[in-house]
Amino acid sequence: MESPNCPSLEQSAGPTEDEPKTKSQAEQTDGSNVVSRVFKTEFDAKYKIYDMRTPLNAFMSGQYKRSGAYNTLRNRLPVILTNVIDTLTKDKSELVEQFGEEAREELKIIIGLISRLKYELQTDKPFQAFAGEEPDRALWNKFLSLLPDEERTFFRSCCLYSECYMHRKLYSFVENSIFLRPYDFHVKIKEHSLTSCIDDVLSLTKYTRRTDKSLEIFGELLRINLWSNCNDAPRDLETPAPPPSPFNKNVLEDVIAADEYILANQEAQIWQCLDNRKQNKRSQVDFILDNAGYELFTDFILAEYMIEKGLATKVCFHMKAHPWFVTDVTARDFKWTLEYLSQHPDYIISLIGKKFLQFLEEGKFELAPISHFWTCPYPFFRMREADPDLYSSLQQSKLIVFKGDLNYRKLLQDVCWDSTQDMNTCLRGFLPSNMCAIRRVKAEVICGLPEGVSETQSRKDPHWMISGIYGVIQFVDGSREFGY
């Protein structure tokens, strides 16, 4: 959630001379290129919102009204907070029964804190330091203190910073409570995203009970995994419809038909990386997880295939340290999913659940140690200094699989790159090992597309990058040296 100039642990948060700048910084340093301000509404004038698209090589920001970042801050994030308040109000009796009568007063306090956070978001107030017992308090407060004064508000900051901050603040309200501390605002949403797709779980389980080891089957599983993100909980009331039938009940029949929606597909390179034992003796694959629910199940299926076909001896799953971006996987979600599957009344589903649990016991599946890096605001190129142990562990991986839109944005620092820019350049030296990204496009951050693809899509739909209709499966070769 970061601009390419996310602050390092010891340096200023502002960009260096060769890094992209926010609009306010560009105005200060290059008066000849100042874009005239066009304020369409009172809100725009009050909070200095520019009626323009995100400039090339700029950070995604709510400053630009014709951007997905603006829509996220103006519409989507307030809806998330409103939904949490509604859930707490509706489930108050249930929560009091679960956590005790003392929790009733805490609920009132937490609802008030969420309402205040929503007000601060909607009125572009400055970010506030963390003052509780958060284990990552020092990391967050240092990051916030290093942001330039003019970029410490929701709409003026990099959008990814703002989103991370909001979700981190939201969880801190229960984290610093006494009786509601174990509570996850979004647990029902995550559980429903699996239970509502149980027919698809069964179909996919039956479909994948094969023995073939081939690029064709592997490619199908990658694409099924990509489109399983369409089961992500709607982010707001205006979430666009997903592609025609590439998922859920028709996923197995129509996954190939949905190929026209995959704008970059390097599954062959990923297969070659995994199947080439001469060039790479490492046997562990790391999954940087995205969503719980059906998507997590497809992660298990893909990981199972890698292990059973000799492409990996172990798959290590990295999850979030705490509830994050509504549906992201935590350790609790991971374990609940395996228990739910293993205890399901359908014999086939329970069998696959027990198999995954056995994989966990045998060390074929592994939960990575919890790292707060995954829920911090730093882009991934800061990992080496922010969490050297995590970076070192990833260097031992044969392949690192980055799942979802959020991880992709962190890989690219939430910058509006030229869509044809080589991913190695955009990573800014972050290359602990071979990497692939499996991502449904929901933000105006992308790279590595063939020439002309972005222009063609823009003619069809100017908002294609935030529609969620398209996806990418991209690979970066870590066996050679790239980056800065």
Side-chain angles (χ1 to χ4, degrees):
M1 328 195 130
E2 6 310 296
S3 30
N5 44 311
C6 256
S8 69
L9 297 182
E10 299 299 333
Q11 72 183 55
S12 165
T16 60
E17 291 183 2
D18 62 342
E19 293 176 329
K21 298 177 174 64
T22 61
K23 191 172 193 310
S24 59
Q25 290 168 331
E27 289 176 351
Q28 293 168 12
T29 58
D30 189 0
S32 63
N33 290 328
V34 173
V35 180
S36 61
R37 300 176 180 179
V38 181
F39 301 130
K40 294 293 187 181
T41 67
E42 183 179 344
F43 179 90
D44 299 349
K46 184 174 182 179
Y47 301 112
K48 299 179 181 179
I49 307 298
Y50 303 91
D51 187 33
M52 59 185 292
R53 297 185 183 278
T54 308
L56 194 64
N57 297 326
F59 312 132
M60 305 308 299
S61 169
Q63 291 177 267
Y64 309 115
K65 189 169 185 177
R66 301 185 193 180
S67 71
Y70 175 85
N71 180 63
T72 290
L73 293 163
R74 188 84 166 107
N75 301 313
R76 185 166 62 81
L77 296 189
V79 169
I80 290 174
L81 295 178
T82 299
N83 288 342
V84 172
I85 293 173
D86 291 346
T87 297
L88 292 176
T89 303
K90 177 173 63 71
D91 295 346
K92 182 184 297 183
S93 297
E94 178 184 331
L95 293 172
V96 168
E97 182 179 350
Q98 180 180 354
F99 295 104
E101 185 61 35
E102 297 87 349
R104 188 181 300 275
E105 189 60 32
E106 282 191 339
L107 279 170
K108 294 179 183 178
I109 295 172
I110 289 172
I111 288 173
L113 291 171
I114 299 172
S115 297
R116 185 175 72 182
L117 178 62
K118 180 181 174 183
Y119 168 77
E120 292 170 351
L121 163 63
Q122 293 180 310
T123 55
D124 196 30
K125 293 293 186 290
F127 301 142
Q128 301 296 316
F130 291 81
E133 298 181 0
E134 302 88 358
D136 53 348
R137 179 182 61 184
L139 182 156
W140 265 97
N141 286 346
K142 182 153 193 176
F143 170 81
L144 294 174
S145 71
L146 292 174
L147 285 174
D149 289 342
E150 68 275 9
E151 294 175 29
R152 292 187 186 180
T153 69
F154 282 94
F155 280 82
R156 303 294 286 179
S157 185
C158 171
C159 183
L160 207 44
Y161 296 157
S162 300
E163 288 188 76
C164 282
Y165 170 83
M166 189 205 82
H167 285 282
R168 186 64 189 93
K169 271 292 179 182
L170 178 61
Y171 178 66
S172 74
F173 300 151
V174 295
E175 187 178 26
N176 287 299
S177 68
I178 297 174
F179 306 103
L180 290 167
R181 192 181 182 94
Y183 179 60
D184 180 349
F185 295 116
H186 311 297
V187 67
K188 289 185 177 180
I189 294 175
K190 290 185 281 190
E191 291 180 357
H192 179 73
S193 65
L194 179 64
T195 59
S196 63
C197 296
I198 203 63
D199 289 343
D200 305 307
V201 167
L202 180 59
S203 296
L204 183 57
T205 301
K206 291 178 178 179
Y207 184 74
T208 53
R209 299 310 92 194
R210 320 176 167 193
T211 56
D212 327 29
K213 177 183 177 182
S214 68
L215 170 59
E216 180 184 1
I217 300 302
F218 180 71
E220 281 190 14
L221 293 180
L222 285 177
R223 282 170 275 160
I224 289 169
N225 187 265
L226 165 67
W227 295 124
S228 68
N229 183 263
C230 292
N231 294 274
D232 188 9
R235 298 190 171 194
D236 55 59
L237 300 178
E238 299 177 329
T239 301
S245 303
F247 63 105
N248 286 346
K249 292 184 179 179
N250 297 318
V251 65
L252 305 181
E253 293 84 358
D254 294 349
V255 65
I256 295 177
D259 283 357
E260 63 180 293
Y261 298 99
I262 302 178
L263 304 180
N265 188 348
Q266 296 177 305
E267 60 190 34
Q269 290 95 315
I270 300 171
W271 171 260
Q272 183 178 17
C273 166
L274 290 173
D275 199 37
N276 191 337
R277 296 184 180 181
K278 293 182 180 180
Q279 290 187 9
N280 195 335
K281 296 180 180 179
R282 291 169 290 185
S283 58
Q284 175 174 313
V285 171
D286 287 73
F287 275 57
I288 316 304
L289 296 173
D290 186 20
N291 293 308
Y294 181 69
E295 181 174 348
L296 178 59
F297 178 74
T298 68
D299 293 333
F300 291 153
I301 290 290
L302 181 58
E304 175 199 32
Y305 184 87
M306 291 179 178
I307 289 171
E308 295 204 324
K309 306 312 174 191
L311 303 174
T313 57
K314 178 171 71 174
V315 174
C316 185
F317 296 94
H318 298 255
M319 58 216 70
K320 304 306 188 293
H322 51 73
W324 188 246
F325 278 65
V326 183
T327 52
D328 279 33
V329 180
T330 65
R332 182 266 172 203
D333 302 322
F334 188 97
K335 294 172 184 176
W336 177 88
T337 300
L338 293 180
E339 292 295 333
Y340 174 81
L341 294 171
S342 65
Q343 297 172 16
H344 197 275
D346 185 279
Y347 175 74
I348 295 177
I349 294 175
S350 67
L351 202 61
I352 194 69
K354 289 171 183 174
K355 181 179 182 180
F356 294 158
L357 281 173
Q358 185 178 352
F359 274 13
L360 199 60
E361 293 172 1
E362 295 173 348
K364 295 176 180 177
F365 281 3
E366 180 179 274
L367 278 72
I370 292 298
S371 170
H372 287 278
F373 183 82
W374 303 121
T375 51
C376 83
Y378 291 111
F380 289 161
F381 81 93
R382 299 291 190 189
M383 184 189 292
R384 190 193 293 266
E385 57 188 303
D387 194 335
D389 291 339
L390 176 61
Y391 189 89
S392 178
S393 72
L394 293 178
Q395 287 182 303
Q396 309 309 310
S397 185
K398 186 177 186 179
L399 176 71
I400 309 168
V401 181
F402 289 93
K403 293 294 308 297
D405 197 65
L406 178 60
N407 282 324
Y408 195 95
R409 290 168 64 190
K410 282 196 166 190
L411 283 169
L412 271 60
Q413 307 104 51
D414 216 27
V415 167
C416 182
W417 296 98
D418 185 302
S419 65
T420 63
Q421 182 65 262
D422 186 80
M423 183 173 274
N424 301 305
T425 300
C426 301
L427 291 171
R428 300 192 64 207
F430 177 71
L431 199 62
S433 185
N434 300 304
M435 305 192 306
C436 75
I438 303 176
R439 178 237 187 167
R440 184 168 150 240
V441 184
K442 292 179 278 188
E444 296 148 323
V445 177
I446 201 166
C447 69
L449 297 188
E451 196 76 39
V453 169
S454 179
E455 292 77 7
T456 299
Q457 297 303 327
S458 294
R459 285 193 293 270
K460 295 178 183 176
D461 176 10
H463 306 294
W464 69 271
M465 296 183 76
I466 60 173
S467 68
I469 291 177
Y470 299 95
V472 294
I473 300 173
Q474 294 173 298
F475 175 74
V476 182
D477 185 354
S479 65
R480 297 181 293 163
E481 291 186 1
F482 292 111
Y484 291 70

Coordinates of all heavy atoms in Angstrom, one line a residue, residues 374-421:
W374 N 3.0 -8.8 6.7 CA 1.9 -8.9 5.7 C 0.8 -7.9 6.0 O -0.1 -7.7 5.2 CB 1.4 -10.3 5.7 CG 2.4 -11.4 5.4 CD1 2.8 -12.4 6.2 CD2 3.2 -11.5 4.2 NE1 3.8 -13.2 5.6 CE2 4.0 -12.6 4.4 CE3 3.3 -10.7 3.1 CZ2 5.0 -13.0 3.4 CZ3 4.2 -11.1 2.1 CH2 5.0 -12.3 2.3
T375 N 0.7 -7.4 7.2 CA -0.4 -6.4 7.6 C 0.2 -5.1 7.9 O -0.4 -4.3 8.7 CB -1.2 -6.9 8.8 OG1 -0.3 -7.3 9.8 CG2 -2.0 -8.1 8.4
C376 N 1.4 -4.8 7.4 CA 2.0 -3.4 7.6 C 1.8 -2.7 6.3 O 1.5 -3.2 5.3 CB 3.5 -3.6 8.0 SG 4.6 -3.8 6.6
P377 N 2.1 -1.4 6.3 CA 1.9 -0.6 5.1 C 3.1 -0.6 4.1 O 3.0 -0.1 3.0 CB 1.8 0.8 5.7 CG 2.6 0.8 6.9 CD 2.4 -0.6 7.5
Y378 N 4.2 -1.3 4.5 CA 5.3 -1.3 3.6 C 5.1 -2.1 2.3 O 4.5 -3.2 2.3 CB 6.6 -1.9 4.3 CG 7.1 -1.0 5.4 CD1 7.0 -1.4 6.7 CD2 7.7 0.2 5.1 CE1 7.5 -0.6 7.7 CE2 8.2 1.0 6.1 CZ 8.1 0.6 7.4 OH 8.5 1.4 8.4
P379 N 5.6 -1.6 1.2 CA 5.6 -2.5 0.0 C 6.6 -3.6 0.1 O 7.5 -3.6 1.0 CB 6.0 -1.5 -1.1 CG 6.9 -0.5 -0.4 CD 6.4 -0.4 1.0
F380 N 6.5 -4.6 -0.8 CA 7.3 -5.8 -0.6 C 8.8 -5.5 -0.8 O 9.7 -6.3 -0.2 CB 6.8 -6.9 -1.5 CG 5.5 -7.5 -1.1 CD1 4.7 -8.2 -2.0 CD2 5.0 -7.3 0.2 CE1 3.5 -8.7 -1.6 CE2 3.8 -7.8 0.6 CZ 3.1 -8.5 -0.3
F381 N 9.2 -4.5 -1.6 CA 10.6 -4.3 -1.8 C 11.3 -3.8 -0.5 O 12.5 -3.8 -0.4 CB 10.9 -3.3 -2.9 CG 10.8 -1.9 -2.6 CD1 11.9 -1.1 -2.2 CD2 9.5 -1.2 -2.8 CE1 11.8 0.2 -2.0 CE2 9.4 0.1 -2.5 CZ 10.5 0.9 -2.1
R382 N 10.5 -3.4 0.6 CA 11.1 -3.1 1.9 C 11.2 -4.3 2.8 O 11.7 -4.1 3.9 CB 10.2 -2.0 2.5 CG 10.0 -0.7 1.8 CD 11.3 0.1 1.7 NE 11.1 1.4 1.2 CZ 12.1 2.3 0.9 NH1 13.3 1.9 1.1 NH2 11.8 3.4 0.4
M383 N 10.8 -5.4 2.3 CA 10.9 -6.6 3.2 C 12.2 -6.9 3.8 O 12.4 -7.3 4.9 CB 10.3 -7.8 2.5 CG 10.2 -9.1 3.4 SD 9.8 -10.6 2.5 CE 8.1 -10.2 1.9
R384 N 13.2 -6.8 2.9 CA 14.6 -7.2 3.3 C 15.0 -6.5 4.6 O 15.7 -7.0 5.5 CB 15.6 -7.0 2.2 CG 16.9 -7.6 2.5 CD 18.0 -7.1 1.5 NE 17.7 -7.5 0.1 CZ 18.2 -8.6 -0.5 NH1 19.1 -9.4 0.3 NH2 17.9 -8.9 -1.7
E385 N 14.7 -5.2 4.7 CA 15.1 -4.4 5.9 C 14.0 -4.5 7.0 O 14.3 -4.4 8.2 CB 15.4 -3.0 5.5 CG 14.2 -2.3 4.8 CD 14.6 -0.9 4.3 OE1 15.1 -0.1 5.1 OE2 14.5 -0.7 3.1
A386 N 12.7 -4.5 6.6 CA 11.7 -4.5 7.6 C 11.5 -5.8 8.3 O 11.2 -5.9 9.5 CB 10.3 -4.1 6.9
D387 N 11.7 -6.9 7.6 CA 11.6 -8.3 8.2 C 12.6 -9.2 7.5 O 12.2 -10.0 6.7 CB 10.2 -8.8 8.0 CG 9.9 -10.0 8.9 OD1 10.9 -10.7 9.3 OD2 8.7 -10.3 9.2
P388 N 13.9 -9.0 7.9 CA 14.9 -9.8 7.2 C 14.7 -11.3 7.4 O 15.1 -12.1 6.5 CB 16.2 -9.3 7.9 CG 15.8 -8.7 9.1 CD 14.4 -8.1 8.9
D389 N 14.2 -11.8 8.5 CA 13.9 -13.2 8.7 C 12.9 -13.8 7.7 O 13.1 -14.9 7.2 CB 13.5 -13.5 10.1 CG 14.6 -13.3 11.2 OD1 15.7 -13.3 10.8 OD2 14.2 -13.1 12.3
L390 N 11.9 -13.0 7.5 CA 10.9 -13.4 6.5 C 11.5 -13.5 5.1 O 11.3 -14.4 4.3 CB 9.7 -12.4 6.5 CG 8.6 -12.7 5.4 CD1 8.0 -14.0 5.6 CD2 7.5 -11.6 5.5
Y391 N 12.3 -12.4 4.7 CA 12.9 -12.4 3.4 C 13.8 -13.6 3.2 O 13.8 -14.3 2.2 CB 13.7 -11.1 3.2 CG 14.2 -10.9 1.8 CD1 13.4 -10.3 0.9 CD2 15.4 -11.4 1.4 CE1 13.8 -10.1 -0.4 CE2 15.9 -11.2 0.1 CZ 15.1 -10.6 -0.8 OH 15.5 -10.4 -2.1
S392 N 14.6 -13.9 4.3 CA 15.5 -15.0 4.3 C 14.8 -16.3 4.1 O 15.3 -17.2 3.3 CB 16.4 -15.0 5.5 OG 17.3 -16.1 5.5
S393 N 13.7 -16.5 4.7 CA 12.9 -17.7 4.6 C 12.4 -17.9 3.2 O 12.3 -19.0 2.6 CB 11.8 -17.8 5.6 OG 10.7 -16.9 5.3
L394 N 11.9 -16.8 2.6 CA 11.4 -16.9 1.2 C 12.5 -17.2 0.2 O 12.3 -17.7 -0.9 CB 10.7 -15.6 0.8 CG 9.4 -15.3 1.6 CD1 8.9 -13.9 1.2 CD2 8.4 -16.4 1.4
Q395 N 13.8 -16.9 0.5 CA 14.9 -17.2 -0.4 C 15.1 -18.7 -0.5 O 15.7 -19.1 -1.5 CB 16.2 -16.5 0.1 CG 16.2 -15.0 -0.1 CD 17.5 -14.4 0.4 OE1 17.9 -14.6 1.6 NE2 18.2 -13.7 -0.5
Q396 N 14.5 -19.5 0.4 CA 14.7 -20.9 0.4 C 13.6 -21.6 -0.5 O 13.6 -22.8 -0.6 CB 14.6 -21.5 1.8 CG 15.5 -20.8 2.8 CD 17.0 -20.7 2.3 OE1 17.5 -21.7 1.9 NE2 17.6 -19.6 2.4
S397 N 12.7 -20.8 -1.0 CA 11.5 -21.3 -1.7 C 11.9 -21.6 -3.2 O 12.7 -20.9 -3.8 CB 10.4 -20.3 -1.6 OG 9.2 -20.8 -2.2
K398 N 11.3 -22.6 -3.7 CA 11.4 -22.9 -5.1 C 10.5 -22.0 -5.9 O 10.9 -21.6 -7.1 CB 10.9 -24.4 -5.3 CG 11.1 -24.9 -6.7 CD 10.7 -26.4 -6.8 CE 10.9 -27.0 -8.1 NZ 10.5 -28.5 -8.1
L399 N 9.4 -21.6 -5.4 CA 8.4 -20.7 -6.0 C 7.6 -20.0 -5.0 O 7.1 -20.7 -4.1 CB 7.5 -21.4 -7.0 CG 6.4 -20.6 -7.7 CD1 7.1 -19.6 -8.7 CD2 5.4 -21.5 -8.4
I400 N 7.4 -18.7 -5.1 CA 6.6 -17.9 -4.2 C 5.3 -17.5 -5.0 O 5.4 -16.9 -6.0 CB 7.3 -16.7 -3.7 CG1 8.6 -17.0 -3.1 CG2 6.4 -16.0 -2.6 CD1 9.5 -15.8 -2.8
V401 N 4.2 -18.0 -4.5 CA 2.9 -17.7 -5.2 C 2.2 -16.6 -4.5 O 1.7 -16.7 -3.4 CB 2.0 -19.0 -5.2 CG1 0.7 -18.7 -6.0 CG2 2.7 -20.1 -5.8
F402 N 2.1 -15.4 -5.1 CA 1.4 -14.3 -4.5 C 0.0 -14.2 -5.0 O -0.3 -14.1 -6.2 CB 2.1 -12.9 -4.9 CG 3.4 -12.8 -4.2 CD1 4.6 -13.2 -4.8 CD2 3.5 -12.2 -3.0 CE1 5.8 -13.0 -4.2 CE2 4.7 -12.0 -2.3 CZ 5.9 -12.5 -2.9
K403 N -1.0 -14.4 -4.1 CA -2.4 -14.4 -4.4 C -3.1 -13.1 -4.3 O -2.9 -12.4 -3.3 CB -3.1 -15.4 -3.5 CG -2.7 -16.9 -3.7 CD -3.1 -17.4 -5.0 CE -4.5 -17.2 -5.3 NZ -5.4 -17.9 -4.4
G404 N -3.9 -12.7 -5.3 CA -4.8 -11.6 -5.1 C -4.3 -10.2 -5.5 O -3.2 -10.0 -5.7
D405 N -5.3 -9.3 -5.4 CA -5.1 -7.9 -5.8 C -4.2 -7.2 -4.8 O -3.4 -6.4 -5.2 CB -6.5 -7.2 -6.0 CG -6.4 -6.0 -6.8 OD1 -6.1 -6.0 -8.0 OD2 -6.7 -4.9 -6.2
L406 N -4.5 -7.4 -3.6 CA -3.7 -6.6 -2.5 C -2.2 -6.9 -2.6 O -1.4 -6.0 -2.6 CB -4.3 -6.9 -1.2 CG -3.6 -6.2 0.0 CD1 -3.6 -4.7 -0.1 CD2 -4.2 -6.6 1.3
N407 N -1.9 -8.2 -2.7 CA -0.5 -8.6 -2.8 C 0.2 -8.0 -4.0 O 1.3 -7.6 -4.0 CB -0.3 -10.1 -2.7 CG -0.5 -10.7 -1.3 OD1 0.0 -10.1 -0.3 ND2 -1.1 -11.9 -1.2
Y408 N -0.6 -8.0 -5.1 CA -0.1 -7.5 -6.4 C 0.2 -6.0 -6.2 O 1.3 -5.5 -6.7 CB -1.1 -7.7 -7.5 CG -0.6 -7.5 -8.9 CD1 -0.1 -8.6 -9.6 CD2 -0.6 -6.3 -9.5 CE1 0.3 -8.5 -10.9 CE2 -0.1 -6.1 -10.8 CZ 0.3 -7.2 -11.5 OH 0.8 -7.1 -12.8
R409 N -0.7 -5.3 -5.6 CA -0.5 -3.8 -5.4 C 0.8 -3.6 -4.5 O 1.5 -2.6 -4.7 CB -1.7 -3.2 -4.8 CG -2.9 -3.1 -5.7 CD -4.2 -2.8 -4.9 NE -4.1 -1.4 -4.4 CZ -5.0 -0.9 -3.5 NH1 -6.0 -1.7 -3.1 NH2 -4.9 0.3 -3.0
K410 N 1.0 -4.4 -3.5 CA 2.2 -4.3 -2.7 C 3.5 -4.6 -3.5 O 4.5 -4.0 -3.2 CB 2.1 -5.2 -1.5 CG 1.2 -4.6 -0.4 CD 1.4 -5.3 1.0 CE 0.8 -4.5 2.1 NZ 1.2 -5.0 3.4
L411 N 3.4 -5.6 -4.4 CA 4.5 -5.9 -5.2 C 4.9 -4.7 -6.1 O 6.1 -4.4 -6.3 CB 4.2 -7.1 -6.1 CG 4.2 -8.5 -5.5 CD1 3.6 -9.5 -6.5 CD2 5.6 -8.9 -5.1
L412 N 3.9 -4.0 -6.6 CA 4.1 -2.8 -7.5 C 4.0 -1.5 -6.8 O 4.0 -0.4 -7.4 CB 3.1 -2.9 -8.6 CG 3.6 -3.7 -9.9 CD1 3.9 -5.2 -9.5 CD2 2.5 -3.6 -11.0
Q413 N 4.0 -1.5 -5.4 CA 4.0 -0.2 -4.6 C 2.8 0.7 -4.8 O 2.8 1.9 -4.6 CB 5.3 0.6 -4.8 CG 6.6 -0.2 -4.6 CD 7.2 -0.6 -5.9 OE1 7.4 0.3 -6.8 NE2 7.5 -1.9 -6.1
D414 N 1.7 0.1 -5.4 CA 0.5 0.9 -5.7 C 0.8 2.1 -6.6 O 0.2 3.2 -6.4 CB -0.2 1.3 -4.4 CG -1.7 1.3 -4.5 OD1 -2.2 0.5 -5.2 OD2 -2.3 2.1 -3.8
V415 N 1.6 1.8 -7.6 CA 1.9 2.9 -8.6 C 1.2 2.6 -9.9 O 1.0 1.5 -10.3 CB 3.5 2.9 -8.8 CG1 3.8 3.7 -10.0 CG2 4.1 3.4 -7.6
C416 N 0.8 3.7 -10.6 CA 0.2 3.6 -11.9 C 1.3 3.4 -12.9 O 1.6 4.4 -13.6 CB -0.7 4.8 -12.1 SG -1.6 4.8 -13.7
W417 N 1.8 2.2 -13.1 CA 2.9 1.9 -14.0 C 2.3 1.9 -15.5 O 1.1 1.7 -15.7 CB 3.5 0.6 -13.8 CG 4.2 0.5 -12.5 CD1 3.8 -0.1 -11.3 CD2 5.6 0.9 -12.2 NE1 4.7 0.0 -10.3 CE2 5.8 0.6 -10.8 CE3 6.6 1.5 -12.9 CZ2 7.1 0.9 -10.2 CZ3 7.8 1.8 -12.3 CH2 8.0 1.5 -11.0
D418 N 3.1 2.1 -16.4 CA 2.8 1.8 -17.8 C 2.5 0.3 -17.8 O 3.2 -0.5 -17.3 CB 3.9 2.1 -18.7 CG 3.6 1.9 -20.2 OD1 3.2 0.8 -20.6 OD2 3.7 2.9 -21.0
S419 N 1.4 -0.1 -18.5 CA 0.9 -1.5 -18.4 C 1.9 -2.4 -19.1 O 1.9 -3.6 -18.8 CB -0.4 -1.6 -19.1 OG -0.4 -1.3 -20.5
T420 N 2.8 -1.9 -20.0 CA 3.8 -2.8 -20.6 C 5.1 -2.8 -19.9 O 6.0 -3.6 -20.3 CB 4.0 -2.3 -22.1 OG1 4.6 -1.0 -22.0 CG2 2.7 -2.3 -22.9
Q421 N 5.2 -2.1 -18.8 CA 6.5 -2.1 -18.1 C 6.9 -3.5 -17.6 O 6.0 -4.2 -17.1 CB 6.4 -1.1 -16.9 CG 7.7 -1.0 -16.1 CD 8.8 -0.3 -16.8 OE1 9.7 -1.0 -17.4 NE2 8.7 1.0 -16.9

